[in-house]
Amino acid sequence: MNFFRFLLTISCIFCISAYSQESKKITLIPKQISSSVWYVEGVTALGSVENKNFISNAAFIVGPDGIVVVDALGSPALAESLITAIGKVSQKKIKAVIVTHYHADHIYGLHAFQKIGAKIIAHPAAKEYLNSETAKQRLSVSRAELAPWVDENTNLVEANVWLSNQTTLNLAGLDLVVKPVGPAHTPEDLVIFFPKEKVLFTGDLLFRGRLPFIGSTANTGPWIDALNAFLDFKAAIAVPGHGSVSENAVEDIELLRDYLTYLRTTMGKAVQDLDLFDEAYAATNWNRFANIPMFQFANRMNAYNTYLQLLDASK
Ligand SMILES: [Zn+2]
């Protein structure tokens, strides 16, 4: 290789790496939802290279002495963009990140917050997931499928503070109630309530404006308990883990609670009467929920999974 070709190759390598750094920049525009709270809303989709794994929400509260973030988004690049976006709202230091649960789309950005010295707070039941083969495999699949957004720089990050009981934390001059409500969506579910502005951060326990998907491992009994616990907070605004913010928090929480309760009541009766699922499903009046988005896609499967869980529990 002659000298000029060598120079050209070297400069191209630099230009590619400069380009990939540049192309990893994502602009997030936070939306203000109360005097001190902002959030960013991910798209409703599965994680992909196209959507940069921006499929979940994150929020932040600007306090007198700093900033507290709820959830870290689904990649280091997204988290860095969130840090930049926060910096445009307030120059105060980001003191802490509270993790609602350790699912990939909420935690792959944690490393970026750790790097700037933010304290990470989560429920200790997450340790089991963090030390599991599942977590490692999930990360390596994500590194392959979501590159360059999730790559070798994406790591699983442990919390600095593990909270196992309901606690009122004073962080950044803010009083925040942190309450464990798992195992419901995950064993380590935490919800955060900011009483001063009546804002509740629900993680993935509240789906708004659509029916949830109830997977075969969902725990609808404790999920209903968690929703009832949410109602005790009498929140005005609820920030879910996915989808838009609810400004009728009580109504939205009640609707989901009633739906889960209805599934358990109707399918529970079918199990008790030894009815076949198909017959029980056809005989059930679904009118109250039939107009909610995703009903056509989700309801039958939700009913079926509830039926199977209750059948299993009855054995
Ligand atoms: Zn999620």
Side-chain angles (χ1 to χ4, degrees):
M1 188 186 291
N2 72 35
F3 183 67
F4 288 107
R5 246 179 105 183
F6 173 75
L7 268 187
L8 200 66
T9 313
I10 289 289
S11 66
C12 260
I13 289 169
F14 281 123
C15 107
I16 288 165
S17 87
Y19 172 74
S20 67
Q21 281 311 318
E22 193 50 42
S23 65
K24 265 190 169 180
K25 290 215 169 105
I26 305 161
T27 305
L28 295 180
I29 301 171
K31 211 167 130 186
Q32 188 169 14
I33 52 174
S34 70
S35 326
S36 319
V37 183
W38 281 255
Y39 92 117
V40 292
E41 183 182 329
V43 296
T44 304
L46 296 175
S48 68
V49 174
E50 291 70 40
N51 63 35
K52 307 175 171 77
N53 209 27
F54 183 33
I55 57 163
S56 64
N57 299 344
F60 59 95
I61 314 165
V62 180
D65 308 326
I67 293 162
V68 178
V69 177
V70 177
D71 284 342
L73 299 175
S75 74
L78 279 169
E80 274 158 23
S81 309
L82 179 60
I83 292 168
T84 305
I86 292 171
K88 288 182 185 157
V89 171
S90 165
Q91 299 288 302
K92 290 176 186 171
K93 186 172 160 45
I94 299 174
K95 292 276 177 77
V97 182
I98 307 175
V99 182
T100 60
H101 63 296
Y102 265 79
H103 272 179
D105 51 331
H106 302 259
I107 56 136
Y108 280 171
L110 277 175
H111 186 57
F113 289 99
Q114 191 185 44
K115 267 200 323 210
I116 58 164
K119 211 187 318 176
I120 296 158
I121 300 167
H123 187 279
K127 288 181 199 171
E128 195 179 320
Y129 174 74
L130 279 166
N131 295 317
S132 69
E133 258 327 287
T134 318
K136 279 181 211 135
Q137 277 168 13
R138 175 87 205 251
L139 181 57
S140 74
V141 170
S142 298
R143 281 172 173 163
E145 287 178 354
L146 298 170
W149 307 106
V150 174
D151 61 15
E152 66 285 355
N153 296 318
T154 312
N155 290 306
L156 294 166
V157 175
E158 298 228 351
N160 307 99
V161 179
W162 296 108
L163 274 188
S164 42
N165 296 308
Q166 180 168 330
T167 315
T168 300
L169 293 176
N170 185 277
L171 290 169
L174 296 159
D175 282 328
L176 298 173
V177 182
V178 183
K179 184 182 173 73
V181 290
H185 179 61
T186 65
E188 68 273 15
D189 293 321
L190 284 182
V191 294
I192 301 101
F193 184 56
F194 176 36
K196 192 173 167 218
E197 295 175 18
K198 291 182 182 292
V199 184
L200 182 69
F201 305 88
T202 66
D204 284 5
L205 287 158
L206 179 66
F207 283 71
R208 219 206 121 230
R210 50 162 279 201
L211 286 192
F213 282 114
I214 297 168
S216 54
T217 57
N219 230 327
T220 50
W223 190 346
I224 292 168
D225 295 341
L227 292 167
N228 279 321
F230 290 3
L231 292 169
D232 292 341
F233 287 123
K234 298 184 172 58
I237 300 169
V239 185
H242 300 265
S244 60
V245 153
S246 163
E247 280 163 4
N248 292 309
V250 169
E251 225 169 89
D252 285 328
I253 295 165
E254 278 175 349
L255 180 66
L256 180 57
R257 181 208 47 194
D258 292 353
Y259 174 65
L260 298 180
T261 306
Y262 192 67
L263 285 176
R264 286 180 72 88
T265 310
T266 54
M267 294 302 112
K269 185 168 183 313
V271 166
Q272 207 174 29
D273 296 349
L274 306 174
D275 292 341
L276 293 173
F277 172 74
D278 285 340
E279 287 163 18
Y281 185 81
T284 303
N285 180 347
W286 298 108
N287 286 351
R288 182 172 170 204
F289 307 104
N291 292 324
I292 302 174
M294 303 302 279
F295 178 87
Q296 298 300 339
F297 302 104
N299 190 59
R300 192 183 171 88
M301 190 193 68
N302 289 348
Y304 186 59
N305 281 335
T306 307
Y307 179 91
L308 289 183
Q309 284 157 18
L310 295 172
L311 183 65
D312 217 37
S314 75
K315 280 175 190 162

